[in-house]
Amino acid sequence: KKTITLQTITVNGLIYEVKSAFYADEPADAEDEAAFELGLFPTELTTVPEEEPDFYVTIDMSESLYGKTIDLTKPLVQGTMPWPYLCITAKNGSSKISIDFDEDWIAGKVTAGKLTATKNGDKFTVELSVTLSDGQSISAAWTGKATKMEIPG
């Protein structure tokens, strides 16, 4: 029996199939460990859009978190240098959600949520589900190859 995985992103209840995925590798520096930024989009794109699209989910996370199931209701473990970094951003029309899990993490903003993301070269697996205290939500269930890009500096 074949399992069919729905390759979807959902923001505030609106579900789209992922049609494009882009990523960038971010090298380590003095304060941050190496990371990736992954963008998932519901439209066929050949390159990262110049203008911010109306619907997307992006995950920016540091290497030490790859493959771990992260409880998004808790702050990341601090006290390690360089600090682990995680930022999830999503947009649905005029609603934009940005959850930053580094030092300015807001306790109580996330009422439920977990994330597991793996990276192997240009292949990614993302399982994301997060609910905010104001009722907004983001989820992603996607496995596939992403196109490498340069992030506009």
Side-chain angles (χ1 to χ4, degrees), residues 11-12 14 52-55 90-97 136:
V11 182
N12 293 338
L14 193 59
E52 184 178 49
D54 278 343
F55 197 97
K91 192 162 176 228
N92 172 352
S94 58
S95 302
K96 185 170 178 180
I97 306 165
Q136 296 195 92

Side-chain angles (χ1 to χ4, degrees), residues 59 61-62 64-77 85-86 88 101 112-117 127-129:
I59 296 167
M61 79 188 280
S62 55
S64 65
L65 303 175
Y66 297 2
K68 293 183 179 159
T69 299
I70 304 156
D71 180 348
L72 299 179
T73 63
K74 297 183 169 74
L76 296 175
V77 175
Y85 177 77
L86 173 61
I88 298 165
F101 289 89
K114 63 182 202 282
L115 167 67
T116 309
E127 287 288 339
L128 167 68
S129 154

